[in-house]
Amino acid sequence: MLQALASDIDHTLFFQERNPQISIQDCQAIQNYQNQGYLFGLCSGRPYQGVVHLSDQIHPDFYIITSGALILDRALHVIYEKFIDRKLKN
């Protein structure tokens, strides 16, 4: 049975807008969870640039970003993407 945990970022993993850092305790807990064979992912309404810099602190197995419009694997390869065509007119 595959088990995974996905966490939001803002006001969940970090609480400061300026110089956001994930706490050492949270980083250790995430690493312990992954070491047990479980998957950990980040979910956010943020775009790619607002999320991937966090991989300096933790190493997510997947990313669900841009409110679910983009899903990436650990290596940042696209698993799923769905965007509204900019050429679309009403």
Side-chain angles (χ1 to χ4, degrees), residues 13-56:
L13 286 179
F14 66 77
F15 299 90
Q16 296 178 351
E17 292 301 321
R18 288 179 272 139
N19 192 21
Q21 295 289 317
I22 300 171
S23 75
I24 293 171
Q25 295 87 349
D26 287 343
C27 289
Q28 290 172 342
I30 290 166
Q31 186 175 21
N32 289 340
Y33 181 79
Q34 290 173 302
N35 288 343
Q36 293 176 33
Y38 301 121
L39 298 176
F40 175 79
L42 291 178
C43 295
S44 181
R46 291 177 175 218
Y48 178 89
Q49 298 87 348
V51 176
V52 295
H53 70 280
L54 296 172
S55 62
D56 294 343

mmCIF file of all heavy atoms in Angstrom, residues 13-56:
data_model
loop_
_atom_site.group_PDB
_atom_site.id
_atom_site.type_symbol
_atom_site.label_atom_id
_atom_site.label_comp_id
_atom_site.label_asym_id
_atom_site.label_seq_id
_atom_site.Cartn_x
_atom_site.Cartn_y
_atom_site.Cartn_z
ATOM 1 N N LEU A 13 3.938 25.176 6.439
ATOM 2 C CA LEU A 13 5.356 24.850 6.625
ATOM 3 C C LEU A 13 6.190 26.067 6.990
ATOM 4 O O LEU A 13 7.218 25.940 7.625
ATOM 5 C CB LEU A 13 5.936 24.204 5.362
ATOM 6 C CG LEU A 13 5.515 22.769 5.123
ATOM 7 C CD1 LEU A 13 6.137 22.237 3.838
ATOM 8 C CD2 LEU A 13 5.914 21.884 6.284
ATOM 9 N N PHE A 14 5.785 27.228 6.549
ATOM 10 C CA PHE A 14 6.451 28.431 7.039
ATOM 11 C C PHE A 14 5.453 29.554 7.192
ATOM 12 O O PHE A 14 4.411 29.578 6.571
ATOM 13 C CB PHE A 14 7.667 28.845 6.204
ATOM 14 C CG PHE A 14 7.389 29.282 4.796
ATOM 15 C CD1 PHE A 14 6.880 30.539 4.517
ATOM 16 C CD2 PHE A 14 7.675 28.442 3.745
ATOM 17 C CE1 PHE A 14 6.661 30.947 3.222
ATOM 18 C CE2 PHE A 14 7.451 28.835 2.435
ATOM 19 C CZ PHE A 14 6.946 30.083 2.176
ATOM 20 N N PHE A 15 5.831 30.487 8.059
ATOM 21 C CA PHE A 15 4.887 31.508 8.484
ATOM 22 C C PHE A 15 5.368 32.931 8.247
ATOM 23 O O PHE A 15 4.664 33.864 8.551
ATOM 24 C CB PHE A 15 4.577 31.319 9.977
ATOM 25 C CG PHE A 15 3.954 29.986 10.259
ATOM 26 C CD1 PHE A 15 4.740 28.890 10.546
ATOM 27 C CD2 PHE A 15 2.587 29.820 10.202
ATOM 28 C CE1 PHE A 15 4.171 27.651 10.787
ATOM 29 C CE2 PHE A 15 2.007 28.590 10.441
ATOM 30 C CZ PHE A 15 2.804 27.499 10.735
ATOM 31 N N GLN A 16 6.556 33.101 7.710
ATOM 32 C CA GLN A 16 7.081 34.439 7.446
ATOM 33 C C GLN A 16 7.196 34.652 5.952
ATOM 34 O O GLN A 16 7.747 33.815 5.247
ATOM 35 C CB GLN A 16 8.459 34.623 8.083
ATOM 36 C CG GLN A 16 8.436 34.556 9.585
ATOM 37 C CD GLN A 16 9.837 34.696 10.161
ATOM 38 O OE1 GLN A 16 10.822 34.675 9.452
ATOM 39 N NE2 GLN A 16 9.912 34.833 11.478
ATOM 40 N N GLU A 17 6.678 35.766 5.469
ATOM 41 C CA GLU A 17 6.764 36.080 4.052
ATOM 42 C C GLU A 17 8.187 36.467 3.654
ATOM 43 O O GLU A 17 8.658 36.120 2.588
ATOM 44 C CB GLU A 17 5.788 37.206 3.689
ATOM 45 C CG GLU A 17 4.338 36.789 3.799
ATOM 46 C CD GLU A 17 3.969 35.618 2.903
ATOM 47 O OE1 GLU A 17 4.445 35.560 1.758
ATOM 48 O OE2 GLU A 17 3.215 34.749 3.371
ATOM 49 N N ARG A 18 8.862 37.209 4.500
ATOM 50 C CA ARG A 18 10.238 37.602 4.212
ATOM 51 C C ARG A 18 11.178 36.494 4.646
ATOM 52 O O ARG A 18 11.106 36.012 5.757
ATOM 53 C CB ARG A 18 10.590 38.900 4.933
ATOM 54 C CG ARG A 18 9.904 40.106 4.306
ATOM 55 C CD ARG A 18 10.244 41.367 5.051
ATOM 56 N NE ARG A 18 9.258 41.495 6.126
ATOM 57 C CZ ARG A 18 9.531 41.890 7.352
ATOM 58 N NH1 ARG A 18 10.735 42.217 7.688
ATOM 59 N NH2 ARG A 18 8.581 41.969 8.249
ATOM 60 N N ASN A 19 12.072 36.099 3.764
ATOM 61 C CA ASN A 19 13.067 35.059 4.036
ATOM 62 C C ASN A 19 12.426 33.791 4.604
ATOM 63 O O ASN A 19 12.732 33.381 5.721
ATOM 64 C CB ASN A 19 14.146 35.584 4.988
ATOM 65 C CG ASN A 19 15.332 34.643 5.063
ATOM 66 O OD1 ASN A 19 15.551 33.834 4.174
ATOM 67 N ND2 ASN A 19 16.093 34.753 6.125
ATOM 68 N N PRO A 20 11.532 33.180 3.850
ATOM 69 C CA PRO A 20 10.848 31.993 4.365
ATOM 70 C C PRO A 20 11.793 30.815 4.587
ATOM 71 O O PRO A 20 12.599 30.496 3.724
ATOM 72 C CB PRO A 20 9.830 31.682 3.275
ATOM 73 C CG PRO A 20 10.381 32.300 2.050
ATOM 74 C CD PRO A 20 11.159 33.496 2.491
ATOM 75 N N GLN A 21 11.688 30.229 5.728
ATOM 76 C CA GLN A 21 12.471 29.055 6.092
ATOM 77 C C GLN A 21 11.547 28.039 6.746
ATOM 78 O O GLN A 21 10.690 28.401 7.539
ATOM 79 C CB GLN A 21 13.588 29.419 7.075
ATOM 80 C CG GLN A 21 14.638 30.338 6.497
ATOM 81 C CD GLN A 21 15.511 29.639 5.485
ATOM 82 O OE1 GLN A 21 15.932 28.506 5.683
ATOM 83 N NE2 GLN A 21 15.776 30.305 4.375
ATOM 84 N N ILE A 22 11.728 26.805 6.407
ATOM 85 C CA ILE A 22 10.995 25.727 7.068
ATOM 86 C C ILE A 22 11.773 25.373 8.331
ATOM 87 O O ILE A 22 13.003 25.292 8.311
ATOM 88 C CB ILE A 22 10.859 24.513 6.134
ATOM 89 C CG1 ILE A 22 10.090 24.928 4.870
ATOM 90 C CG2 ILE A 22 10.159 23.367 6.838
ATOM 91 C CD1 ILE A 22 10.080 23.876 3.789
ATOM 92 N N SER A 23 11.081 25.172 9.436
ATOM 93 C CA SER A 23 11.773 24.899 10.697
ATOM 94 C C SER A 23 12.592 23.615 10.604
ATOM 95 O O SER A 23 12.268 22.697 9.852
ATOM 96 C CB SER A 23 10.775 24.794 11.854
ATOM 97 O OG SER A 23 10.091 23.561 11.791
ATOM 98 N N ILE A 24 13.649 23.569 11.388
ATOM 99 C CA ILE A 24 14.513 22.392 11.428
ATOM 100 C C ILE A 24 13.708 21.170 11.854
ATOM 101 O O ILE A 24 13.865 20.081 11.300
ATOM 102 C CB ILE A 24 15.708 22.627 12.375
ATOM 103 C CG1 ILE A 24 16.624 23.697 11.786
ATOM 104 C CG2 ILE A 24 16.471 21.339 12.639
ATOM 105 C CD1 ILE A 24 17.715 24.178 12.726
ATOM 106 N N GLN A 25 12.808 21.354 12.814
ATOM 107 C CA GLN A 25 11.988 20.241 13.297
ATOM 108 C C GLN A 25 11.088 19.699 12.184
ATOM 109 O O GLN A 25 10.930 18.484 12.046
ATOM 110 C CB GLN A 25 11.126 20.667 14.494
ATOM 111 C CG GLN A 25 11.910 21.046 15.715
ATOM 112 C CD GLN A 25 12.327 22.519 15.732
ATOM 113 O OE1 GLN A 25 12.211 23.238 14.738
ATOM 114 N NE2 GLN A 25 12.840 22.968 16.857
ATOM 115 N N ASP A 26 10.503 20.599 11.408
ATOM 116 C CA ASP A 26 9.642 20.151 10.306
ATOM 117 C C ASP A 26 10.459 19.457 9.229
ATOM 118 O O ASP A 26 10.034 18.427 8.683
ATOM 119 C CB ASP A 26 8.854 21.320 9.715
ATOM 120 C CG ASP A 26 7.733 21.792 10.630
ATOM 121 O OD1 ASP A 26 7.349 21.031 11.552
ATOM 122 O OD2 ASP A 26 7.247 22.916 10.422
ATOM 123 N N CYS A 27 11.641 19.979 8.908
ATOM 124 C CA CYS A 27 12.516 19.332 7.926
ATOM 125 C C CYS A 27 12.879 17.923 8.374
ATOM 126 O O CYS A 27 12.846 16.977 7.577
ATOM 127 C CB CYS A 27 13.786 20.155 7.700
ATOM 128 S SG CYS A 27 13.539 21.693 6.801
ATOM 129 N N GLN A 28 13.209 17.770 9.635
ATOM 130 C CA GLN A 28 13.565 16.453 10.177
ATOM 131 C C GLN A 28 12.375 15.504 10.161
ATOM 132 O O GLN A 28 12.513 14.326 9.828
ATOM 133 C CB GLN A 28 14.116 16.591 11.589
ATOM 134 C CG GLN A 28 15.471 17.238 11.631
ATOM 135 C CD GLN A 28 15.938 17.555 13.046
ATOM 136 O OE1 GLN A 28 15.154 17.600 14.000
ATOM 137 N NE2 GLN A 28 17.239 17.793 13.180
ATOM 138 N N ALA A 29 11.196 16.005 10.514
ATOM 139 C CA ALA A 29 9.996 15.164 10.509
ATOM 140 C C ALA A 29 9.673 14.692 9.098
ATOM 141 O O ALA A 29 9.308 13.524 8.889
ATOM 142 C CB ALA A 29 8.815 15.928 11.101
ATOM 143 N N ILE A 30 9.810 15.579 8.109
ATOM 144 C CA ILE A 30 9.556 15.208 6.717
ATOM 145 C C ILE A 30 10.563 14.154 6.268
ATOM 146 O O ILE A 30 10.200 13.147 5.653
ATOM 147 C CB ILE A 30 9.606 16.460 5.810
ATOM 148 C CG1 ILE A 30 8.390 17.341 6.092
ATOM 149 C CG2 ILE A 30 9.679 16.059 4.330
ATOM 150 C CD1 ILE A 30 8.499 18.750 5.522
ATOM 151 N N GLN A 31 11.834 14.349 6.597
ATOM 152 C CA GLN A 31 12.857 13.379 6.216
ATOM 153 C C GLN A 31 12.612 12.021 6.884
ATOM 154 O O GLN A 31 12.739 10.980 6.244
ATOM 155 C CB GLN A 31 14.246 13.896 6.583
ATOM 156 C CG GLN A 31 15.355 12.991 6.091
ATOM 157 C CD GLN A 31 16.725 13.559 6.359
ATOM 158 O OE1 GLN A 31 16.907 14.413 7.221
ATOM 159 N NE2 GLN A 31 17.703 13.084 5.623
ATOM 160 N N ASN A 32 12.230 12.026 8.151
ATOM 161 C CA ASN A 32 11.917 10.768 8.844
ATOM 162 C C ASN A 32 10.743 10.057 8.185
ATOM 163 O O ASN A 32 10.764 8.832 8.012
ATOM 164 C CB ASN A 32 11.602 11.019 10.320
ATOM 165 C CG ASN A 32 12.832 11.416 11.108
ATOM 166 O OD1 ASN A 32 13.965 11.168 10.686
ATOM 167 N ND2 ASN A 32 12.617 12.055 12.244
ATOM 168 N N TYR A 33 9.726 10.803 7.801
ATOM 169 C CA TYR A 33 8.554 10.253 7.125
ATOM 170 C C TYR A 33 8.972 9.592 5.811
ATOM 171 O O TYR A 33 8.591 8.457 5.521
ATOM 172 C CB TYR A 33 7.545 11.379 6.892
ATOM 173 C CG TYR A 33 6.264 10.963 6.222
ATOM 174 C CD1 TYR A 33 5.257 10.336 6.941
ATOM 175 C CD2 TYR A 33 6.056 11.214 4.872
ATOM 176 C CE1 TYR A 33 4.075 9.963 6.331
ATOM 177 C CE2 TYR A 33 4.872 10.846 4.255
ATOM 178 C CZ TYR A 33 3.892 10.219 4.987
ATOM 179 O OH TYR A 33 2.723 9.855 4.381
ATOM 180 N N GLN A 34 9.796 10.293 5.035
ATOM 181 C CA GLN A 34 10.256 9.748 3.761
ATOM 182 C C GLN A 34 11.167 8.537 3.976
ATOM 183 O O GLN A 34 11.116 7.581 3.187
ATOM 184 C CB GLN A 34 10.985 10.818 2.948
ATOM 185 C CG GLN A 34 10.051 11.893 2.416
ATOM 186 C CD GLN A 34 10.798 13.031 1.764
ATOM 187 O OE1 GLN A 34 11.627 13.674 2.398
ATOM 188 N NE2 GLN A 34 10.500 13.283 0.499
ATOM 189 N N ASN A 35 11.973 8.555 5.009
ATOM 190 C CA ASN A 35 12.866 7.426 5.296
ATOM 191 C C ASN A 35 12.094 6.157 5.642
ATOM 192 O O ASN A 35 12.633 5.054 5.532
ATOM 193 C CB ASN A 35 13.835 7.772 6.424
ATOM 194 C CG ASN A 35 14.894 8.761 5.990
ATOM 195 O OD1 ASN A 35 15.122 8.975 4.793
ATOM 196 N ND2 ASN A 35 15.535 9.400 6.959
ATOM 197 N N GLN A 36 10.839 6.306 6.047
ATOM 198 C CA GLN A 36 9.990 5.151 6.336
ATOM 199 C C GLN A 36 9.340 4.602 5.068
ATOM 200 O O GLN A 36 8.546 3.667 5.131
ATOM 201 C CB GLN A 36 8.920 5.530 7.354
ATOM 202 C CG GLN A 36 9.482 5.851 8.722
ATOM 203 C CD GLN A 36 8.397 6.317 9.675
ATOM 204 O OE1 GLN A 36 7.260 5.881 9.613
ATOM 205 N NE2 GLN A 36 8.761 7.229 10.563
ATOM 206 N N GLY A 37 9.658 5.196 3.928
ATOM 207 C CA GLY A 37 9.146 4.703 2.657
ATOM 208 C C GLY A 37 7.896 5.405 2.158
ATOM 209 O O GLY A 37 7.300 4.987 1.167
ATOM 210 N N TYR A 38 7.499 6.477 2.816
ATOM 211 C CA TYR A 38 6.313 7.218 2.411
ATOM 212 C C TYR A 38 6.692 8.381 1.496
ATOM 213 O O TYR A 38 7.817 8.874 1.541
ATOM 214 C CB TYR A 38 5.566 7.754 3.635
ATOM 215 C CG TYR A 38 5.130 6.684 4.598
ATOM 216 C CD1 TYR A 38 5.570 6.703 5.915
ATOM 217 C CD2 TYR A 38 4.291 5.654 4.191
ATOM 218 C CE1 TYR A 38 5.174 5.730 6.810
ATOM 219 C CE2 TYR A 38 3.883 4.673 5.082
ATOM 220 C CZ TYR A 38 4.335 4.712 6.393
ATOM 221 O OH TYR A 38 3.942 3.742 7.271
ATOM 222 N N LEU A 39 5.744 8.819 0.700
ATOM 223 C CA LEU A 39 5.954 9.946 -0.198
ATOM 224 C C LEU A 39 5.504 11.236 0.474
ATOM 225 O O LEU A 39 4.481 11.270 1.153
ATOM 226 C CB LEU A 39 5.167 9.761 -1.492
ATOM 227 C CG LEU A 39 5.525 8.550 -2.348
ATOM 228 C CD1 LEU A 39 4.591 8.457 -3.537
ATOM 229 C CD2 LEU A 39 6.966 8.632 -2.801
ATOM 230 N N PHE A 40 6.273 12.292 0.245
ATOM 231 C CA PHE A 40 5.919 13.610 0.753
ATOM 232 C C PHE A 40 5.895 14.583 -0.412
ATOM 233 O O PHE A 40 6.812 14.628 -1.224
ATOM 234 C CB PHE A 40 6.912 14.098 1.805
ATOM 235 C CG PHE A 40 6.621 15.505 2.248
ATOM 236 C CD1 PHE A 40 5.607 15.740 3.156
ATOM 237 C CD2 PHE A 40 7.300 16.576 1.706
ATOM 238 C CE1 PHE A 40 5.300 17.034 3.544
ATOM 239 C CE2 PHE A 40 7.004 17.878 2.083
ATOM 240 C CZ PHE A 40 5.993 18.107 3.004
ATOM 241 N N GLY A 41 4.841 15.392 -0.481
ATOM 242 C CA GLY A 41 4.729 16.369 -1.548
ATOM 243 C C GLY A 41 4.316 17.733 -1.039
ATOM 244 O O GLY A 41 3.805 17.878 0.066
ATOM 245 N N LEU A 42 4.575 18.722 -1.869
ATOM 246 C CA LEU A 42 4.153 20.094 -1.580
ATOM 247 C C LEU A 42 2.986 20.455 -2.473
ATOM 248 O O LEU A 42 2.995 20.158 -3.675
ATOM 249 C CB LEU A 42 5.294 21.076 -1.835
ATOM 250 C CG LEU A 42 6.468 21.007 -0.882
ATOM 251 C CD1 LEU A 42 7.545 22.006 -1.304
ATOM 252 C CD2 LEU A 42 6.035 21.270 0.548
ATOM 253 N N CYS A 43 1.983 21.106 -1.903
ATOM 254 C CA CYS A 43 0.831 21.606 -2.647
ATOM 255 C C CYS A 43 0.739 23.101 -2.421
ATOM 256 O O CYS A 43 0.924 23.567 -1.305
ATOM 257 C CB CYS A 43 -0.462 20.974 -2.141
ATOM 258 S SG CYS A 43 -0.554 19.229 -2.405
ATOM 259 N N SER A 44 0.438 23.824 -3.487
ATOM 260 C CA SER A 44 0.333 25.265 -3.328
ATOM 261 C C SER A 44 -0.369 25.890 -4.521
ATOM 262 O O SER A 44 -0.341 25.350 -5.627
ATOM 263 C CB SER A 44 1.736 25.873 -3.203
ATOM 264 O OG SER A 44 1.643 27.277 -3.033
ATOM 265 N N GLY A 45 -0.958 27.026 -4.284
ATOM 266 C CA GLY A 45 -1.483 27.833 -5.367
ATOM 267 C C GLY A 45 -0.375 28.631 -6.023
ATOM 268 O O GLY A 45 -0.570 29.241 -7.072
ATOM 269 N N ARG A 46 0.792 28.609 -5.427
ATOM 270 C CA ARG A 46 1.941 29.332 -5.971
ATOM 271 C C ARG A 46 2.387 28.731 -7.301
ATOM 272 O O ARG A 46 2.233 27.529 -7.526
ATOM 273 C CB ARG A 46 3.129 29.251 -5.018
ATOM 274 C CG ARG A 46 2.974 30.008 -3.747
ATOM 275 C CD ARG A 46 4.190 29.777 -2.888
ATOM 276 N NE ARG A 46 4.147 30.570 -1.681
ATOM 277 C CZ ARG A 46 5.208 31.148 -1.147
ATOM 278 N NH1 ARG A 46 6.398 31.008 -1.706
ATOM 279 N NH2 ARG A 46 5.089 31.846 -0.045
ATOM 280 N N PRO A 47 3.021 29.561 -8.135
ATOM 281 C CA PRO A 47 3.584 29.032 -9.377
ATOM 282 C C PRO A 47 4.916 28.333 -9.113
ATOM 283 O O PRO A 47 5.453 28.371 -7.998
ATOM 284 C CB PRO A 47 3.788 30.289 -10.230
ATOM 285 C CG PRO A 47 4.032 31.365 -9.226
ATOM 286 C CD PRO A 47 3.156 31.015 -8.042
ATOM 287 N N TYR A 48 5.464 27.745 -10.148
ATOM 288 C CA TYR A 48 6.728 27.009 -10.096
ATOM 289 C C TYR A 48 7.820 27.768 -9.340
ATOM 290 O O TYR A 48 8.433 27.228 -8.428
ATOM 291 C CB TYR A 48 7.155 26.713 -11.542
ATOM 292 C CG TYR A 48 8.470 26.003 -11.690
ATOM 293 C CD1 TYR A 48 8.519 24.617 -11.686
ATOM 294 C CD2 TYR A 48 9.657 26.712 -11.859
ATOM 295 C CE1 TYR A 48 9.722 23.958 -11.843
ATOM 296 C CE2 TYR A 48 10.863 26.061 -12.018
ATOM 297 C CZ TYR A 48 10.887 24.683 -12.004
ATOM 298 O OH TYR A 48 12.077 24.037 -12.154
ATOM 299 N N GLN A 49 8.056 29.025 -9.723
ATOM 300 C CA GLN A 49 9.135 29.802 -9.122
ATOM 301 C C GLN A 49 8.932 30.038 -7.631
ATOM 302 O O GLN A 49 9.899 30.245 -6.901
ATOM 303 C CB GLN A 49 9.268 31.180 -9.811
ATOM 304 C CG GLN A 49 9.607 31.103 -11.258
ATOM 305 C CD GLN A 49 8.364 30.972 -12.150
ATOM 306 O OE1 GLN A 49 7.253 30.724 -11.687
ATOM 307 N NE2 GLN A 49 8.563 31.116 -13.446
ATOM 308 N N GLY A 50 7.710 29.988 -7.171
ATOM 309 C CA GLY A 50 7.428 30.224 -5.765
ATOM 310 C C GLY A 50 7.526 28.992 -4.890
ATOM 311 O O GLY A 50 7.350 29.075 -3.681
ATOM 312 N N VAL A 51 7.834 27.852 -5.507
ATOM 313 C CA VAL A 51 7.842 26.598 -4.758
ATOM 314 C C VAL A 51 9.176 25.860 -4.829
ATOM 315 O O VAL A 51 9.663 25.362 -3.821
ATOM 316 C CB VAL A 51 6.716 25.664 -5.267
ATOM 317 C CG1 VAL A 51 6.759 24.322 -4.585
ATOM 318 C CG2 VAL A 51 5.364 26.318 -5.080
ATOM 319 N N VAL A 52 9.777 25.779 -6.005
ATOM 320 C CA VAL A 52 10.942 24.906 -6.169
ATOM 321 C C VAL A 52 12.147 25.327 -5.339
ATOM 322 O O VAL A 52 12.989 24.487 -5.027
ATOM 323 C CB VAL A 52 11.331 24.725 -7.646
ATOM 324 C CG1 VAL A 52 10.231 24.007 -8.402
ATOM 325 C CG2 VAL A 52 11.679 26.037 -8.292
ATOM 326 N N HIS A 53 12.239 26.588 -4.951
ATOM 327 C CA HIS A 53 13.371 27.016 -4.127
ATOM 328 C C HIS A 53 13.360 26.334 -2.757
ATOM 329 O O HIS A 53 14.393 26.256 -2.098
ATOM 330 C CB HIS A 53 13.377 28.539 -3.958
ATOM 331 C CG HIS A 53 12.266 29.041 -3.101
ATOM 332 N ND1 HIS A 53 10.984 29.201 -3.583
ATOM 333 C CD2 HIS A 53 12.250 29.397 -1.795
ATOM 334 C CE1 HIS A 53 10.219 29.637 -2.598
ATOM 335 N NE2 HIS A 53 10.949 29.772 -1.517
ATOM 336 N N LEU A 54 12.226 25.809 -2.348
ATOM 337 C CA LEU A 54 12.137 25.125 -1.059
ATOM 338 C C LEU A 54 12.861 23.787 -1.063
ATOM 339 O O LEU A 54 13.126 23.215 -0.014
ATOM 340 C CB LEU A 54 10.673 24.929 -0.662
ATOM 341 C CG LEU A 54 9.890 26.217 -0.416
ATOM 342 C CD1 LEU A 54 8.422 25.909 -0.220
ATOM 343 C CD2 LEU A 54 10.451 26.983 0.762
ATOM 344 N N SER A 55 13.197 23.274 -2.256
ATOM 345 C CA SER A 55 13.898 21.992 -2.327
ATOM 346 C C SER A 55 15.327 22.098 -1.803
ATOM 347 O O SER A 55 16.012 21.095 -1.673
ATOM 348 C CB SER A 55 13.879 21.439 -3.761
ATOM 349 O OG SER A 55 14.548 22.327 -4.630
ATOM 350 N N ASP A 56 15.765 23.307 -1.466
ATOM 351 C CA ASP A 56 17.049 23.469 -0.781
ATOM 352 C C ASP A 56 16.949 22.988 0.659
ATOM 353 O O ASP A 56 17.946 22.595 1.250
ATOM 354 C CB ASP A 56 17.491 24.936 -0.780
ATOM 355 C CG ASP A 56 17.812 25.456 -2.163
ATOM 356 O OD1 ASP A 56 18.012 24.641 -3.090
ATOM 357 O OD2 ASP A 56 17.838 26.689 -2.332
#
